[in-house]
Amino acid sequence: MEITILLVEDDPVWRTMLTRFLNNEPDLQVLQSVETKEDALAFCSNNKVDIVLMDINLTDNNLDGIQATLELSLKRSSAKVIALTSLDNEKVIIDTYTAGAIQYVSKSDFRKIPDVIRGVLHSTSPQEILVKEFLRLKEAEQYSKLTAAEKEIVVLSEEGIGRSQLIDKLGKSEGTLKNQITSILRKFKASSMKEVIRTIKSRGLSDKELDR
């Protein structure tokens, strides 16, 4: 069975070279190559691919490939993201995995990419298990900032339950609920519950942090 790939790479030379290199493998097929975060997200919204090969630094030093990886994770895309980069900064690597990448390959090791793709798709590696546990712990770390009562409010808000319904469902006074929501917003330095939920589901990886 052919493994389908979306290549996200801003460098046209790398984009052309990698497309040819991967398409020379009998079981691999680059369906599309794009150069921006927006194009990558648009393609994945309208097409199914097995693998997204993602350059994490698409424009200047914005790390928008990590942002794209995070968005795919939040949208629960079925595609598995393999990060491709020439950066070796420890925090960048940690942020890449926090965003949802399942593997990380240096561009200098590009010849390993076909085997990495096959390994990621055909089996659950010990690394993949560790990455999933890492993501679970990072999300739990965000919830740990909350009291039990505050966590209940966040969970119900994520389900789309509004403030008036929360009052009825939790049996709280309007004043008590308002104070608890204010406390939640303050802890996450957020302006809305929607922002709080995104921060938790992003495992604390904020857009501001990546936009550097």
Side-chain angles (χ1 to χ4, degrees), residues 15 51 57 73 80 96 102 130 147 179 203:
R15 198 163 61 244
I51 298 289
N57 202 31
S73 175
K80 294 186 176 184
T96 301
I102 209 160
L130 287 173
T147 66
N179 288 338
R203 300 166 289 270

Side-chain angles (χ1 to χ4, degrees), residues 189-205:
K189 298 179 181 178
S191 58
S192 67
M193 288 300 296
K194 184 177 180 180
E195 189 178 341
V196 169
I197 292 166
R198 178 179 171 85
T199 299
I200 292 173
K201 293 305 175 185
S202 299
R203 300 166 289 270
L205 199 61

Side-chain angles (χ1 to χ4, degrees), residues 1-61:
M1 177 181 287
E2 205 169 55
I3 300 172
T4 55
I5 303 162
L6 169 66
L7 173 61
V8 189
E9 168 62 61
D10 65 319
D11 186 320
V13 175
W14 267 102
R15 198 163 61 244
T16 300
M17 185 275 289
L18 281 174
T19 298
R20 288 175 179 170
F21 174 67
L22 294 171
N23 283 342
N24 278 334
E25 298 290 323
D27 58 335
L28 304 182
Q29 178 63 47
V30 177
L31 289 184
Q32 183 68 280
S33 62
V34 299
E35 59 181 297
T36 68
K37 173 184 74 174
E38 293 76 16
D39 287 344
L41 296 174
F43 185 84
C44 288
S45 293
N46 298 305
N47 302 273
K48 188 179 186 330
V49 291
D50 300 312
I51 298 289
V52 176
L53 191 59
M54 180 79 73
D55 180 10
I56 64 173
N57 202 31
L58 295 170
T59 55
D60 299 324
N61 293 308

Side-chain angles (χ1 to χ4, degrees), residues 60-121:
D60 299 324
N61 293 308
N62 290 329
L63 300 179
D64 37 0
I66 300 182
Q67 293 175 332
T69 300
L70 178 60
E71 290 300 326
L72 290 174
S73 175
L74 292 174
K75 294 176 185 296
R76 300 187 181 277
S77 169
S78 62
K80 294 186 176 184
V81 177
I82 298 173
L84 180 66
T85 184
S86 55
L87 301 174
D88 59 2
N89 179 280
E90 182 177 329
K91 188 175 189 312
V92 170
I93 294 172
I94 291 172
D95 285 351
T96 301
Y97 281 115
T98 302
I102 209 160
Q103 261 288 10
Y104 192 98
V105 181
S106 171
K107 285 185 176 179
S108 62
D109 293 328
F110 75 92
R111 293 189 183 279
K112 296 179 181 179
I113 294 174
D115 286 338
V116 171
I117 289 172
R118 295 181 187 107
V120 161
L121 197 66

